[in-house]
């Protein structure tokens, strides 16, 4: 059964792996003009007799090979393969240098056609790298039954010189990400995968870049710490690891523009059209910012207004770095868990997520968790960065681009309570019987989500969802809660599924978008609504 699950199959019963973990096997199906073998292949992949079926196929294949000449396959470019991304155009995938047509299996896939189509028109390897259970001989042999061609040898040629492109050095990305912009790169995981794992895989963690990804040599890297009231420090990665105790925290990061697309449907807004996936959760490892500041001689309490400013190594064409700041009180609070992180989910930070060092500010908008950190500065004023002073602020619906004055609004720090539905997806046809609704919920400032209400009729009646997640210390609920609800649904019904979360301070999401609309499309946290039909 593992072999047919997409990155996260929602319709399958629990497997030997933890429910949050899952594997992906791209669908295999007979191609046009070849014998139809979908039924036995499906049985082999779904049942416990996969190995027996594999042996029988090998026996029959050996017999056939004695009488059948080796086929000569046509050659295709990756561009040609990429044109086959839907059942209408045929669904093709590649593995190594081989090309496969898997169209006829799309609707049979028990994890849902949407998950299977994540690999459509591209390579299987990025998905199999996440779920190595598929790298087995019988899986590859079954896949090759649906081969339709080979990649052209010219595909190995180097790409044109891109030395003049400031983004040419950006790292490769997982093809399952939903890209909102390529340069700079901004992407979110497919919505249907968000609630399948408590910790988001590094490869699928949402990416918010403002500038090109810098190439940093960890051997020569130095972090500067400075400001009035303390002594200046320059710390290498080795010194950070050896001088300060390691601390770990599980924290959700969310972009201020998460769910911006819903605001744009009320009135146009300026910004990337994020769906519900500009949010992810990881287990971060590093040193406490508090420990570093105290080591530099900064006092735990300071009179007046003070801030801790961060600068990244990512710079614009004029050399100005990305920057942000947080209040000094949060930076030095032992309960705030602010990290200078060098690990993400037990691994070295990926380049897209700040290698070799980044800030992680739990409970606060992701824009303050500066990546590729090069400088920490204590200051009586907040960061002078554009992204602190002239972006990531909320305004009244009456404010437009002719009247906006960024100096009149505070920079976003803690985010409001949030929730969204990850399954089913909008417009989906769901089977009659018991419907499973899934999603996530989170609130800023360490406020725990205490309840998620779900409605199937647009908000007229409600049920309480079951919450799952890690237990947290009161006031330090940095990570999201995943939730789930099962409810009977009748054939032919049209459902408007709605969710709303309540946090420990009894903050609750607003019911509609219009009253919270703002020209930048930030802080979008109205009830999330998904309309589906129930099959007859």
């Amino acid at each position: 059964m593992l072999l047919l699950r997409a990155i996260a199959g929602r319709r399958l019963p629990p497997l030997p792996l933890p429910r949050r973990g899952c594997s992906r096997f791209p669908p295999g199906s007979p191609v046009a003009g070849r014998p139809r073998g979908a039924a036995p292949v499906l049985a082999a992949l779904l049942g416990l007799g996969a190995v027996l079926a594999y042996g029988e196929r090998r026996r029959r294949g050996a017999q056939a090979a004695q009488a059948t000449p080796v086929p000569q396959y046509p050659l295709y470019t990756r561009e040609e393969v990429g044109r086959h991304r839907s059942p209408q155009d045929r669904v093709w995938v590649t593995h190594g240098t081989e090309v496969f047509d898997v169209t006829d299996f799309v609707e049979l896939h028990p994890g849902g056609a949407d998950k299977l189509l994540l690999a459509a028109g591209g390579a299987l390897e990025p998905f199999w790298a996440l779920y190595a259970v598929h790298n087995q001989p019988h899986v590859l042999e079954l896949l090759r039954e649906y081969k339709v061609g080979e990649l052209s040898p010219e595909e190995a040629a180097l790409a044109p010189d891109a030395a003049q492109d400031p983004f040419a050095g950006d790292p490769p990305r997982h093809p399952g990400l939903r890209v909102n912009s390529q340069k700079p790169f901004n992407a979110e995981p497919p919505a249907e995968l968000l609630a399948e794992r408590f910790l988001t895989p590094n490869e699928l963690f949402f990416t918010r870049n403002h500038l090109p990804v810098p190439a940093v040599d960890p051997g020569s890297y130095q972090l500067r710490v400075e400001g009035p009231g303390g002594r200046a420090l320059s710390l290498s990665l080795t010194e950070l690891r050896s001088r300060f105790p390691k601390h770990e925290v599980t924290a959700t990061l969310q972009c201020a523009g998460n769910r911006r697309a819903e605001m744009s449907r009320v009135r146009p807004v300026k910004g990337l059209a994020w769906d519900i996936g500009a949010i992810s959760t990881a287990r971060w490892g590093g040193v406490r910012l508090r420990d570093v500041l105290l080591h530099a001689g900064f006092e735990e309490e300071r009179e007046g207004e003070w801030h801790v400013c961060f600068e990244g190594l990512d710079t614009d064409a004029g050399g100005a770095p990305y920057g942000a700041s947080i209040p000094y009180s949060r930076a030095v609070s032992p309960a705030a868990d602010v990290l200078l992180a060098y690990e993400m989910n037990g691994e070295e930070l990926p380049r897209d997520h700040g290698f070799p060092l980044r800030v992680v500010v739990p409970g606060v908008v992701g824009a303050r968790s500066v990546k590729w950190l090069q400088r920490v500065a204590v200051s009586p004023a907040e960061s002078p960065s554009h992204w602190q002073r002239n972006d990531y602020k909320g305004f009244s619906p009456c404010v437009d681009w002719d009247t906006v004055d960024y100096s009149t609004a505070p920079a976003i720090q803690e985010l409001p309570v949030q929730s969204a539905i990850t399954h089913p997806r909008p417009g989906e046809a769901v089977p009659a019987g018991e419907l499973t609704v899934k999603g996530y919920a989170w609130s800023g400032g360490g406020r725990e989500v205490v309840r998620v209400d779900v409605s199937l009729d647009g908000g007229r009646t409600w049920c309480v969802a079951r919450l799952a997640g890690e237990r947290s210390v009161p006031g330090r609920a940095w990570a999201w809660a995943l939730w789930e609800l099962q409810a009977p649904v009748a054939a032919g019904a049209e459902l408007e599924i709605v969710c709303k979360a309540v946090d420990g301070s009894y903050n609750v999401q607003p019911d509609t978008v219009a009253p919270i609309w703002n020209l930048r499309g930030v802080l979008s946290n109205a009830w999330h609504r998904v309309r589906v039909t129930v099959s007859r």
Side-chain angles (χ1 to χ4, degrees):
M1 186 176 294
L2 288 172
L3 305 180
L4 276 176
R5 294 192 81 193
I7 287 181
R10 62 174 177 259
R11 300 179 191 170
L12 299 182
L15 298 172
L17 292 175
R19 182 157 179 82
R20 293 193 301 267
C22 46
S23 59
R24 176 182 179 84
F25 177 71
S29 70
V31 299
R34 300 186 64 187
R36 296 279 167 174
V41 171
L42 179 59
L45 293 176
L46 289 179
L48 295 176
V51 175
L52 293 176
Y54 168 54
E56 175 61 16
R57 285 179 180 276
R58 288 193 65 185
R59 183 186 63 79
R60 287 185 294 169
Q63 293 174 347
Q66 296 175 0
T68 305
V70 177
Q72 297 297 312
Y73 290 101
L75 300 179
Y76 299 101
T77 64
R78 292 192 186 277
E79 180 181 1
E80 289 174 318
V81 174
R83 296 171 189 164
H84 297 273
R85 295 179 177 271
S86 68
Q88 294 75 25
D89 298 320
R90 308 297 293 177
V91 177
W92 288 13
V93 296
T94 68
H95 184 269
T97 61
E98 297 174 295
V99 180
F100 307 91
D101 183 332
V102 295
T103 310
D104 299 331
F105 193 71
V106 168
E107 294 303 325
L108 296 176
H109 188 257
D114 52 352
K115 296 190 179 74
L116 182 155
L117 290 170
L118 291 173
L124 298 178
E125 285 88 344
F127 297 94
W128 285 17
L130 283 176
Y131 306 101
V133 67
H134 298 101
N135 293 310
Q136 302 180 47
H138 66 279
V139 178
L140 293 170
E141 189 161 329
L142 287 169
L143 180 64
R144 289 193 179 107
E145 186 172 336
Y146 313 120
K147 181 174 176 178
V148 295
E150 292 272 351
L151 285 173
S152 173
E154 289 77 11
E155 287 297 306
L158 295 176
D161 181 22
Q164 301 305 312
D165 182 358
F167 295 93
D170 275 17
R173 279 89 181 207
H174 196 281
L177 291 170
R178 302 303 194 207
V179 179
N180 285 315
S181 74
Q182 285 285 358
K183 298 179 182 182
F185 187 79
N186 291 281
E188 58 191 297
E192 58 269 31
L193 303 186
L194 278 171
E196 296 298 325
R197 291 186 175 190
F198 182 71
L199 296 180
T200 311
N202 290 357
E203 297 88 343
L204 295 177
F205 201 98
F206 89 94
T207 300
R208 176 65 174 109
N209 293 341
H210 298 82
L211 299 161
V213 176
V216 185
D217 174 18
S220 60
Y221 172 83
Q222 295 284 319
L223 172 68
R224 289 182 290 134
V225 181
E226 56 195 35
R231 68 180 188 276
L233 297 178
S234 183
L235 299 168
S236 68
L237 286 175
T238 299
E239 289 171 325
L240 280 167
R241 289 174 179 266
S242 61
R243 290 187 185 181
F244 305 99
K246 182 179 179 181
H247 184 66
E248 292 187 329
V249 61
T250 302
T252 296
L253 295 184
Q254 180 181 227
C255 180
N258 192 31
R259 299 180 58 195
R260 178 180 283 128
E262 295 167 57
M263 277 197 177
S264 67
R265 291 194 284 269
V266 174
R267 274 192 282 160
V269 298
K270 180 181 178 182
L272 297 168
W274 295 106
D275 190 23
I276 65 171
I279 183 171
S280 300
T281 299
R283 181 74 175 170
W284 307 95
V287 302
R288 293 179 188 265
L289 175 60
R290 163 190 167 85
D291 292 345
V292 174
L293 292 174
L294 296 181
H295 178 75
F298 294 100
E299 297 179 354
E300 191 162 355
E301 295 184 7
R302 308 190 74 161
E303 293 184 3
E305 180 181 349
W306 288 89
H307 304 261
V308 177
C309 305
F310 309 116
E311 286 183 6
L313 286 162
D314 49 332
T315 60
D316 63 19
Y322 180 85
S325 60
I326 60 174
Y328 183 87
S329 58
R330 181 180 292 275
V332 297
S333 170
D337 292 319
V338 181
L339 285 189
L340 304 182
Y342 48 73
E343 287 182 0
M344 180 178 181
N345 289 328
E347 300 177 357
E348 181 180 82
L349 279 177
R351 285 189 62 209
D352 258 332
H353 298 290
F355 176 82
L357 193 73
R358 70 170 297 166
V359 185
V360 174
V361 189
V364 166
V365 64
R368 312 304 168 213
S369 290
V370 174
K371 300 186 285 188
W372 312 291
L373 184 66
Q374 67 168 327
R375 180 172 177 261
V376 175
V378 175
S379 169
E382 66 178 350
S383 170
S385 168
H386 164 84
W387 291 279
Q388 185 79 22
R389 300 288 183 97
N390 295 302
D391 203 349
Y392 296 122
K393 295 183 176 184
F395 293 95
S396 167
C398 68
V399 175
D400 59 26
W401 289 107
D402 293 325
T403 59
V404 65
D405 180 355
Y406 272 92
S407 67
T408 63
I412 298 170
Q413 294 285 342
E414 296 180 1
L415 287 170
V417 64
Q418 175 73 280
S419 71
I421 299 159
T422 60
H423 172 73
R425 298 299 297 139
E428 188 173 339
V430 301
E434 186 174 76
L435 173 66
T436 297
V437 184
K438 295 181 181 181
Y440 65 78
W442 181 76
S443 191
R447 292 179 290 275
E448 180 183 10
V449 171
V450 297
R451 195 180 79 237
V452 173
D453 299 326
V454 180
S455 172
L456 302 185
D457 55 13
R460 290 186 292 276
T461 62
W462 297 90
C463 298
V464 178
R466 178 176 62 85
L467 300 180
E470 293 184 356
R471 297 189 63 83
S472 59
V473 177
R476 296 163 76 177
W478 307 128
W480 61 15
L482 302 182
W483 57 264
E484 188 171 305
L485 176 79
Q486 282 85 33
V489 293
E494 295 188 0
L495 309 178
E496 184 183 10
I497 308 172
V498 182
C499 72
K500 60 182 176 73
V502 182
D503 70 18
S505 296
Y506 286 96
N507 297 308
V508 66
Q509 295 170 251
D511 59 347
T512 58
V513 175
I516 61 171
W517 183 94
N518 58 88
L519 75 175
R520 278 290 279 119
V522 295
L523 308 169
S524 181
N525 74 323
W527 295 359
H528 190 221
R529 302 169 184 267
V530 169
R531 291 176 172 82
V532 300
T533 58
V534 183
S535 302
R536 294 185 179 275

